[in-house]
Amino acid sequence: MVEQVVVNGLLSSLIYVLMALGFTLIFGIMRIVNFAHGEFYMVGAMAVLFLFGALGWPFFLAVVAGGLLSGILGVVVERTLFRPLVGDELAGMIMSLAVGVILQSVALLLFGPSEQSVSRPFTGTWSLMSASVPWDRTIVGLCALGILVLFYVFLKYARLGLAMQAVAQDPDTATLMGIEPGLVYRAAFGLACVLAGLAGALMAPIYTVGPYMGELPMLKAFVVVILGGLGSLPGAVLGGFLIGLSESVVTTLVNSTVALIVSFVMVLLIVVARPSGLMGGSVR
């Protein structure tokens, strides 16, 4: 039973981390709390529903297309709506709520209000000690882990990744060093939406797909980044694994509703004890 709980928690954590990294990346660089992040998750899932479910594209090609579609949409939204609001947290938050409602409404018009299922591309289970692990969740977890590794390498070694870190730490100094903040804002917002879209695309066959499916992942991503520290990328990783493992334990022992309550209780305790989050002081 212990092995099953740990495996379930780790697999869930990887998706939470994908969502949380994009969310906290936007805040860390643009100081915008993007409450439309869940809708970009929904866009990725809708792309898989249409491309893989209806048109018969290969699953992984549909996943990549879903991530790219979310990223392109994110770049357009950032350039037209969010760029003038950089640094204005309240205005940016209000704009993100409006964008989220618009994306939900468009999805409602295109796909209808009903939740729809995507056929699973992988079936069966395999055993890890006493744990029984579905192949579809395993593939999703491995893909998410690979995306996280690529994201780390990008931030650590790519010029654009280093520029993002510089702008997050001190935009004025970064500008004096020849970095164009506008390019960094556009790339950061687009990359964050790619991460959300990939998370939604990977999870489309696991859960049902609908216009409002991004609300719960957005809520959990928000819990994760508050727990780890808003604006802290390492904090998002730590918070994602803490929430994923605690959720798996409580869901196994009680139920998923209590697990969500426990997650918020954890956040409340952390905010009281350390308002900046577990690692909120490490990245600005």
Side-chain angles (χ1 to χ4, degrees):
M1 178 179 177
V2 174
E3 291 87 352
Q4 188 72 58
V5 170
V6 171
V7 169
N8 291 343
L10 289 176
L11 292 177
S12 298
S13 298
L14 291 169
I15 294 297
Y16 295 163
V17 171
L18 269 187
M19 283 290 291
L21 281 177
F23 187 89
T24 203
L25 180 66
I26 293 174
F27 181 81
I29 293 177
M30 301 179 67
R31 316 311 293 178
I32 288 176
V33 179
N34 181 25
F35 281 118
H37 202 61
E39 278 58 58
F40 290 99
Y41 172 97
M42 177 267 293
V43 168
M46 288 291 189
V48 169
L49 173 67
F50 179 69
L51 298 176
F52 172 70
L55 299 185
W57 283 29
F59 175 67
F60 290 115
L61 182 59
V63 168
V64 172
L68 291 177
L69 177 61
S70 295
I72 292 171
L73 182 61
V75 169
V76 173
V77 168
E78 183 278 331
R79 188 65 185 88
T80 57
L81 300 177
F82 286 102
R83 179 71 62 83
L85 307 177
V86 172
D88 189 339
E89 297 179 25
L90 179 59
M93 183 171 61
I94 294 172
M95 178 62 75
S96 71
L97 292 171
V99 169
V101 171
I102 292 171
L103 292 178
Q104 284 183 352
S105 300
V106 171
L108 188 64
L109 291 174
L110 294 177
F111 294 93
S114 301
E115 298 285 329
Q116 303 180 55
S117 299
V118 179
S119 59
R120 298 200 172 195
F122 309 100
T123 58
T125 60
W126 61 283
S127 298
L128 178 63
M129 293 183 284
S130 64
S132 178
V133 189
W135 272 113
D136 54 358
R137 293 189 68 89
T138 302
I139 298 299
V140 167
L142 291 175
C143 290
L145 183 60
I147 294 168
L148 293 176
V149 171
L150 290 175
F151 179 75
Y152 171 80
V153 171
F154 169 78
L155 286 182
K156 189 75 173 178
Y157 299 106
R159 291 176 62 88
L160 184 55
L162 295 172
M164 287 181 183
Q165 296 183 64
V167 172
Q169 292 173 7
D170 192 332
D172 294 331
T173 302
T175 301
L176 293 175
M177 297 298 292
I179 296 173
E180 183 185 348
L183 174 62
V184 173
Y185 296 150
R186 187 161 57 248
F189 204 99
L191 179 58
C193 293
V194 167
L195 292 176
L198 288 173
L202 288 171
M203 294 302 288
I206 308 296
Y207 301 116
T208 54
V209 178
Y212 308 109
M213 65 176 294
E215 293 177 350
L216 185 58
M218 175 62 244
L219 183 62
K220 291 184 177 180
F222 187 66
V223 168
V224 166
V225 297
I226 294 299
L227 182 64
L230 198 57
S232 170
L233 296 178
V237 175
L238 176 61
F241 281 104
L242 286 176
I243 292 297
L245 290 171
S246 66
E247 183 181 81
S248 179
V249 171
V250 178
T251 300
T252 302
L253 296 177
V254 191
N255 57 53
S256 58
T257 302
V258 175
L260 187 59
I261 294 172
V262 169
S263 298
F264 277 100
V265 170
M266 289 174 58
V267 170
L268 290 175
L269 293 176
I270 291 297
V271 169
V272 170
R274 185 178 170 83
S276 62
L278 294 175
M279 303 183 70
S282 60
V283 177
R284 171 70 172 87

